[in-house]
């Protein structure tokens, strides 16, 4: 176990880790996308997606040396 990442109010549909393990992003049944600082074991940002269709997957992309959700 690397870290316990808490923050969703319900089940988690998808969780992806950055290649270096420094952060993770998740989406859950609560229609929130959470960005976690894995080393600190806490959510550092969130997006409320309640006005959107239900999301089941998140993905990470790296462009120009920057990771994005």
């Amino acid at each position: 176990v690397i870290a316990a990442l808490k923050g969703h109010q319900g089940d988690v549909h998808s969780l992806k880790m950055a290649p270096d393990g420094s952060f993770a992003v998740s989406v859950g049944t609560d229609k929130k996308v959470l960005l976690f600082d894995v080393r600190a074991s806490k959510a550092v940002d969130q997006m409320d997606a309640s006005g959107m269709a239900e999301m089941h997957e998140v993905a990470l992309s790296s462009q120009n040396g920057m990771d994005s959700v």
Side-chain angles (χ1 to χ4, degrees), residues 30-35 45-50 52 55:
D30 57 2
K31 293 196 171 191
K32 290 185 180 170
V33 178
L34 298 178
L35 178 66
D45 204 357
Q46 72 176 23
M47 181 182 83
D48 180 5
S50 58
M52 302 173 79
M55 293 184 286

Side-chain angles (χ1 to χ4, degrees), residues 25-47:
V25 64
S26 64
V27 63
T29 57
D30 57 2
K31 293 196 171 191
K32 290 185 180 170
V33 178
L34 298 178
L35 178 66
F36 292 94
D37 177 329
V38 174
R39 292 182 181 106
S41 296
K42 67 178 187 175
V44 295
D45 204 357
Q46 72 176 23
M47 181 182 83

